[in-house]
Amino acid sequence: MALAMHSAHAADEGFSGAWSIDLRTPAQRAQRAGCGEASFVLEQTGRRITGAHTMATAGCGRINEGGEGSVHGEVDGDHALLFVTSGRTGTVVKGRATLKGGGLDWETSEEVRAGAPMGDSPLILGKGFLARVRK
């Protein structure tokens, strides 16, 4: 019964909350390398989503602190179409987020607007399964 209640509560939350994925290799984890993570912090109101994202390479060599308002989109059931703006380059990508198994499955589908400087990585997660962060 507790599992059913937890699942029902998670479903009620929809996309709202903090989501994270560890991007470090097993060797980097063993060495306790700092950073190496991508995250979304989302707020769903009806069909609308707003929020922020971040991404940092292992060792903190490159960081994208997308910032508040860097994510917006629209929900359709367990799926959401999101536009994500890089705080690093200004690049805007479109992607699809899907609620699946208590996590968030994310995949970028296309670059909507190129950023500057050209050739620099916007550091926006291309694809991955993010876990809900519980505090």
Side-chain angles (χ1 to χ4, degrees):
M1 182 161 155
L3 180 60
M5 288 176 56
H6 175 72
S7 296
H9 179 65
D12 290 343
E13 292 174 308
F15 288 89
S16 291
W19 306 89
S20 178
I21 183 172
D22 187 341
L23 300 171
R24 298 173 299 168
T25 66
Q28 290 167 331
R29 283 188 207 109
Q31 295 168 351
R32 298 178 191 242
C35 298
E37 176 182 53
S39 67
F40 287 102
V41 177
L42 305 174
E43 181 65 36
Q44 178 180 346
T45 305
R47 292 189 60 194
R48 188 171 157 240
I49 291 182
T50 57
H53 74 98
T54 61
M55 185 170 166
T57 60
C60 306
R62 295 184 303 154
I63 298 173
N64 174 16
E65 296 174 333
E68 190 62 37
S70 62
V71 178
H72 69 276
E74 190 169 299
V75 174
D76 183 10
D78 287 342
H79 306 282
L81 175 65
L82 300 180
F83 293 88
V84 181
T85 304
S86 171
R88 185 178 162 84
T89 63
T91 302
V92 178
V93 301
K94 178 171 78 170
R96 183 176 179 99
T98 303
L99 294 173
K100 187 186 298 182
L104 183 75
D105 193 30
W106 165 257
E107 185 168 5
T108 297
S109 58
E110 68 179 285
E111 184 177 285
V112 176
R113 183 179 74 216
M118 296 296 283
D120 191 10
S121 172
L123 286 183
I124 297 173
L125 182 65
K127 182 177 184 176
F129 188 77
L130 295 87
R132 187 182 293 272
V133 177
R134 299 281 181 201
K135 294 190 179 195

